[in-house]
Amino acid sequence: MSIDMGKPSTAGQAPGAEEPPDTGVGTPAAGDRHRLTALQGLAALSLDAMASVAYGPESIVLVLAAAGAYGMGFTLPVTLAIAALLAVLVASYRQVIAAFPDGGGSYAVAKRHLGRRTSLVAAASLILDYVLNVAVSVTAGVAALTSAFPELYGERVWICLGVLVLVTAVNLRGVVESAKAFLVPTAVFVGSILAMVVVGLFRDGPVSTASAAGHASALGEGATAVGALLLLKAFAAGCSALTGVEAVANAVPSFRAPAARRAQRTEVALGALLGVMLIGLSILIGRFHLQPVEGVTVLAQLADASFGHNAAFYVVQFATMVLLALAANTSFGGLPVLMSLLARDNHLPHVFALKADRQVHRHGVVWLALVSALLLVCSGGDTNTLVPLFAIGVFVGFTICQVGMVRHWYGERPRGWQAKAALNGFGALLTGVSAVVVTATKFTEGAWLIVVALPLLVLGFEKIHRAYAEIGERLELGRVPQAPHRSRSVVVVPVSGLSRLTCQALTAARSLGDEVLAVTVTHPTAEDRRATEALRRDWELWKPGVELIELSSETRSLGRPVSAYVRKLAQTHPDAQVTVLIPETEPAHLWQRLLQNQRGSVVAHAVRRDTDAVICRLRFRITADARRSVLMRL
């Protein structure tokens, strides 16, 4: 089995490559049936952004509440500013999708226009954001559940892990399967929020305030001034609603052909729905003169005010709970694709670039799940522990992407490039300020971990890249090698007794090598000496035509004497290729492997560690039919 240490095959198309034509409404091509349509992409990649309407407006309200009722009046202007930034981001990422159909979003833009080091900062920020999104989404969804059923609060960590296992299992079956599974919850949530906004606009006042009754108000008393810093903090806090906007651009290869066009439609639909919901909820907050209270979400109060404390209220709450828990799916759709691009560029192990038969980057999915599970356990399933770390990474990615697109327009200079560059530059300024403000205000609450983790991730990428460069230099990748030639072959076969397995091993060895040597390790104890003498007598009677060499060992070591002999053999035969053929049995049943003595693994490990010899593991399958052939694995 050859091991390719070069660059793995690229996922998707090269930038600028022509996409295959759309096949219309008929049956998708064989490769496309495991890829996303625009509608499925909305369900698979937008859950993070959609679910953010549950905490985005609330983040704004909680900041402005410090200025009392007067400050609450700025909820709509701040939301409109965020909606304007959302429009800028959507327009920018549409251009990113068209220019970088391989996916990767901020990483791909920065790599082309801002240099490798900046692209790694963008990639690290996105990885941190995606991992934290999984943990925050799951804990927020479970928090909604435990709020309805307080008796489950003590089991919240196990419930979080259960939800994570469910989402991971669905994604291991393919991104299309996850989209189908989450399409209905997404539709119910969006439909209920839009219905709540429409119904609320026709209300003269709140229908019910039962959900907030008996809860302490979080509104500041006696404050009448709203400063620029407070508005800036409210804007930065509300920008948490923009997390997930970049996921579509990161996962363009997951869409059906024409992938870029479908991804652009998904991005626009996401931006439109998110903008309408954010503005609509903000209008209702002002219309109903809502005040934040402890223990009840803003969204719950709005549902109560619009629908009343009835079945519709509980539908909104249940849909919010489900979507928050499933919003982790956005990370499972975007991060594995980003990791595959990093692996292709030798910044992550190449195994992350491998795809399963359902177009799934399974290694990326599994590692995302494992790291997220660790975060869930360490945080105790507490949302408030994780939220201060959230959104900083995505703001950094947003800023880098916008700056990169300014360089893109300046270099390409298409018609109207000045306006596009100005738009991206304005967006970079806004997201950059938001990143600084969020980091500064949340630094002591845990944001310092992100400040530390970001450069550590970049250093890790660089170290992996250097390791691959050294390996490539040793293997002379990219160069024309010398012509292959035949060298003398010496095959060493470790044996411990006579059996059919010994016969098969020597037969295989004689077909592989010019010279075959059988070796057995002997020990000085009386019992071992008797066993060695018996083997020598049997060997002389058998006469296999292969010399049996005894390797004496004062200890009970098995691997070291064999590896020492192989090393000495390589020194005395410098022009020969030394191969160690290790015969092993393969039981018919999995549980029977527990009965094996693992001698072969011990010898293989020692030879691999101490020598450059080729290791050949010969497996003799134990089946009902003893005449079955032997499976050889190199």
Side-chain angles (χ1 to χ4, degrees):
M1 180 177 64
S2 62
I3 302 176
D4 182 14
M5 295 302 296
K7 292 186 178 181
S9 59
T10 59
Q13 295 172 292
E18 183 179 354
E19 293 182 327
D22 194 353
T23 56
V25 296
T27 303
D32 270 359
R33 66 190 183 93
H34 293 302
R35 298 182 186 271
L36 298 169
T37 63
L39 184 61
Q40 290 171 339
L42 197 61
L45 300 172
S46 70
L47 296 183
D48 177 18
M50 293 294 183
S52 66
V53 302
Y55 49 80
E58 183 159 7
S59 300
I60 299 173
V61 167
L62 289 175
V63 173
L64 294 177
Y70 182 70
M72 293 292 296
F74 286 87
T75 301
L76 182 58
V78 171
T79 303
L80 289 175
I82 292 172
L85 177 56
L86 172 63
V88 172
L89 291 174
V90 169
S92 175
Y93 277 107
R94 283 189 78 254
Q95 301 303 322
V96 172
I97 291 168
F100 299 90
D102 260 356
S106 304
Y107 169 69
V109 175
K111 179 186 171 186
R112 179 181 295 186
H113 297 295
L114 300 177
R116 185 171 63 88
R117 185 65 60 82
T118 306
S119 71
L120 295 181
V121 174
S125 66
L126 286 173
I127 288 176
L128 291 173
D129 176 63
Y130 277 137
V131 173
L132 286 167
N133 171 58
V134 174
V136 169
S137 299
V138 171
T139 55
V142 173
L145 176 65
T146 55
S147 297
F149 303 98
E151 61 273 13
L152 297 177
Y153 184 79
E155 307 297 330
R156 63 189 184 281
V157 174
W158 290 108
I159 299 174
C160 285
L161 294 176
V163 172
L164 179 61
V165 168
L166 173 64
V167 176
T168 304
V170 172
N171 277 276
L172 286 174
R173 291 187 55 81
V175 66
V176 172
E177 297 298 326
S178 70
K180 291 177 180 178
F182 303 147
L183 189 59
V184 173
T186 305
V188 172
F189 176 79
V190 173
S192 62
I193 296 296
L194 293 178
M196 182 176 69
V197 171
V198 172
V199 171
L201 291 175
F202 287 95
R203 303 287 191 191
D204 294 327
V207 176
S208 170
T209 58
S211 61
H215 293 269
S217 174
L219 199 65
E221 298 292 340
T224 58
V226 176
L229 181 59
L230 186 69
L231 291 176
L232 198 58
K233 288 179 66 176
F235 174 81
C239 280
S240 61
L242 302 181
T243 58
V245 173
E246 78 290 347
V248 177
N250 289 336
V252 177
S254 298
F255 285 85
R256 291 181 185 176
R261 197 176 309 159
R262 290 185 189 272
Q264 286 178 321
R265 293 172 189 166
T266 303
E267 188 73 55
V268 171
L270 169 60
L273 285 173
L274 184 56
V276 168
M277 289 190 291
L278 287 174
I279 295 174
L281 293 176
S282 179
I283 293 173
L284 292 187
I285 290 172
R287 189 179 186 86
F288 296 141
H289 304 289
L290 183 144
Q291 297 183 7
V293 297
E294 297 178 2
V296 180
T297 65
V298 168
L299 195 62
Q301 292 185 65
L302 290 177
D304 204 12
S306 294
F307 292 133
H309 209 73
N310 50 28
F313 168 82
Y314 287 103
V315 168
V316 174
Q317 292 304 102
F318 182 75
T320 303
M321 178 193 72
V322 172
L323 203 73
L324 277 169
L326 299 182
N329 193 68
T330 298
S331 296
F332 283 97
L335 181 58
V337 176
L338 174 62
M339 294 177 74
S340 73
L341 295 177
L342 286 166
R344 185 188 67 180
D345 294 336
N346 293 335
H347 295 300
L348 280 180
H350 288 170
V351 70
F352 289 109
L354 300 179
K355 278 187 178 181
D357 54 357
R358 291 176 177 265
Q359 301 297 319
V360 182
H361 295 95
R362 287 184 176 170
H363 294 279
V365 170
V366 170
W367 275 101
L368 173 58
L370 291 175
V371 175
S372 301
L374 182 63
L375 273 178
L376 290 172
V377 172
C378 292
S379 67
D382 182 18
T383 307
N384 294 327
T385 304
L386 297 168
V387 167
L389 312 179
F390 194 42
I392 296 175
V394 76
F395 284 140
V396 173
F398 281 161
T399 305
I400 291 175
C401 183
Q402 301 274 8
V403 173
M405 289 306 294
V406 171
R407 293 286 300 271
H408 174 77
W409 297 127
Y410 184 79
E412 298 291 332
R413 300 197 179 190
R415 180 178 299 178
W417 70 271
Q418 295 95 335
K420 295 177 179 178
L423 186 67
N424 290 133
F426 181 62
L429 177 63
L430 291 180
T431 54
V433 169
S434 298
V436 172
V437 171
V438 173
T439 303
T441 57
K442 302 292 185 181
F443 189 83
T444 57
E445 299 177 35
W448 64 270
L449 286 172
I450 303 300
V451 177
V452 172
L454 199 61
L456 288 179
L457 268 178
V458 174
L459 290 175
F461 295 152
E462 292 280 19
K463 187 174 181 62
I464 292 173
H465 190 271
R466 286 195 298 270
Y468 273 124
E470 292 173 2
I471 293 172
E473 184 67 25
R474 292 288 301 274
L475 295 179
E476 298 183 356
L477 294 178
R479 308 176 192 171
V480 178
Q482 297 179 354
H485 62 280
R486 188 182 187 282
S487 60
R488 183 169 175 268
S489 177
V490 178
V491 182
V492 177
V493 183
V495 298
S496 58
L498 296 187
S499 65
R500 184 178 176 184
L501 179 60
T502 309
C503 178
Q504 292 280 9
L506 294 180
T507 299
R510 297 187 72 168
S511 66
L512 290 174
D514 299 310
E515 181 180 355
V516 177
L517 300 171
V519 298
T520 185
V521 179
T522 64
H523 304 291
T525 64
E527 181 181 356
D528 289 323
R529 283 199 302 270
R530 288 194 294 270
T532 301
E533 292 171 359
L535 174 60
R536 189 186 306 113
R537 287 194 304 269
D538 293 341
W539 195 273
E540 292 173 353
L541 291 173
W542 184 32
K543 296 181 181 178
V546 175
E547 181 184 0
L548 177 63
I549 300 172
E550 298 177 12
L551 306 177
S552 179
S553 174
E554 295 297 326
T555 65
R556 304 299 299 181
S557 175
L558 179 65
R560 289 186 182 277
V562 176
S563 65
Y565 176 76
V566 171
R567 190 166 56 249
K568 181 179 178 181
L569 195 62
Q571 293 172 353
T572 56
H573 298 77
D575 297 328
Q577 174 64 62
V578 180
T579 300
V580 180
L581 189 147
I582 303 172
E584 298 174 302
T585 58
E586 185 170 300
H589 304 287
L590 183 62
W591 69 268
Q592 292 177 339
R593 295 185 181 181
L594 299 174
L595 307 178
Q596 294 179 287
N597 56 30
Q598 306 300 323
R599 289 173 179 265
S601 297
V602 171
V603 173
H605 174 73
V607 173
R608 182 181 296 111
R609 180 192 59 209
D610 300 333
T611 75
D612 295 326
V614 175
I615 299 174
C616 174
R617 307 285 290 270
L618 183 142
R619 305 288 176 84
F620 183 81
R621 290 184 173 176
I622 306 298
T623 61
D625 183 1
R627 295 172 295 178
R628 291 288 297 274
S629 62
V630 176
L631 174 66
M632 290 188 64
R633 295 178 182 173
L634 292 179

